[in-house]
Amino acid sequence: MITCFIRYEIDPFKKDEFATYSRNWGEVIPRCGADLIGYFGPHEGSATTAYGVYNIESLAAYEAYRARPAADPLGRENYAFSRRERFILKEDRIFLKNVSMPIGGK
């Protein structure tokens, strides 16, 4: 299992738009086969940094997964919404593996 961390730089005046975008992915990502941990928007501190986090079986599974959100009706609309409203200024992805498992010495 690997975890995809998406770091977003968002327009601080469009946090509500990012929240809508995040809620939409909350429906699409699980439906398309990834295990969504969540989307996290600014609350205290930086007003421009946000994250999306989900688990997926492997990089090969991610490659297969990538096309599904773009083919999903709500996924297509969400991509269009982000382009139209321009609240995402920058987006970076990194894939990490949980190296602390198992917890508790098992």
Side-chain angles (χ1 to χ4, degrees):
M1 184 71 62
I2 59 173
T3 303
C4 178
F5 291 83
I6 308 168
R7 182 183 181 277
Y8 296 95
E9 180 182 333
I10 63 171
D11 182 328
F13 299 104
K14 294 187 174 186
K15 291 188 288 187
D16 290 341
E17 287 85 344
F18 182 78
T20 298
Y21 174 82
S22 300
R23 283 189 299 276
N24 289 339
W25 285 134
E27 293 181 37
V28 174
I29 290 172
R31 183 167 57 229
C32 290
D35 175 26
L36 181 65
I37 295 169
Y39 270 74
F40 303 86
H43 177 70
E44 187 67 33
S46 173
T48 60
T49 303
Y51 292 91
V53 183
Y54 62 89
N55 291 318
I56 197 148
E57 184 178 314
S58 65
L59 285 176
Y62 172 73
E63 288 303 321
Y65 160 83
R66 284 177 49 157
R68 291 191 292 268
D72 182 275
L74 182 55
R76 278 195 310 271
E77 173 51 36
N78 217 28
Y79 285 127
F81 173 60
S82 69
R83 286 190 301 273
R84 183 175 60 249
E85 298 299 322
R86 300 177 156 255
F87 50 87
I88 298 173
L89 307 176
K90 185 177 177 185
E91 180 178 330
D92 295 305
R93 275 181 178 69
I94 186 170
F95 295 87
L96 301 174
K97 183 176 179 177
N98 186 338
V99 295
S100 66
M101 296 301 278
I103 297 174
K106 295 181 181 180

